[in-house]
Amino acid sequence: MQAMLLIYSDEKTWAAIPQEEKGRIYGAYMAYTAALREAGAFVAGDPLQPSMAAHTVRVANGAPQVLDGPYAETKEQLAGYYLIEVEDMQAALRWAARCPGATHGVMEVRPVMVMGQPG
């Protein structure tokens, strides 16, 4: 199965972290990514630009409306993701618990529903 590991963290807290500590955290992500690759579970993954770089698109009355910024104000913002291929949800949850994002934010784990196949 494929699962999305969505990493949520507080951008204000991240901005206040000293560069040396950020370097340590980035190193932990690099090691985690290497472990996913070595296990054959890595499909894709990247950090995201800050939420203020986001755009929200909605179609109302047939016309697209584009708004700058995130859809809603939240304490934690979507900071990045991993798409992984694992045997079951328990394996996905174990990988999520190992992610550095779980120590400084929260991880959402969601199975991918393959288009054209029953969920």
Side-chain angles (χ1 to χ4, degrees):
M1 71 171 276
Q2 286 191 339
M4 288 293 294
L5 308 183
L6 301 169
I7 305 162
Y8 290 89
S9 64
D10 183 339
E11 291 175 344
K12 291 177 185 172
T13 300
W14 178 255
I17 295 174
Q19 280 305 119
E20 183 178 303
E21 178 67 9
K22 284 181 182 176
R24 188 190 66 72
I25 294 169
Y26 282 133
Y29 274 105
M30 298 305 289
Y32 176 74
T33 303
L36 280 169
R37 288 181 190 279
E38 189 174 307
F42 182 87
V43 176
D46 282 301
L48 299 174
Q49 294 290 330
S51 63
M52 291 313 298
H55 299 279
T56 304
V57 179
R58 173 180 300 173
V59 175
N61 298 321
Q65 299 173 344
V66 179
L67 303 171
D68 292 338
Y71 174 69
E73 287 287 321
T74 61
K75 181 180 180 213
E76 296 170 323
Q77 295 77 35
L78 181 59
Y81 71 95
Y82 284 95
L83 175 61
I84 62 173
E85 180 87 35
V86 291
E87 57 275 2
D88 56 27
M89 180 55 80
Q90 291 306 310
L93 294 172
R94 285 192 299 273
W95 278 111
R98 289 179 59 182
C99 182
T103 63
H104 60 81
V106 66
M107 302 292 297
E108 179 180 348
V109 181
R110 194 179 300 186
V112 173
M113 184 171 41
V114 179
M115 295 296 284
Q117 294 183 6

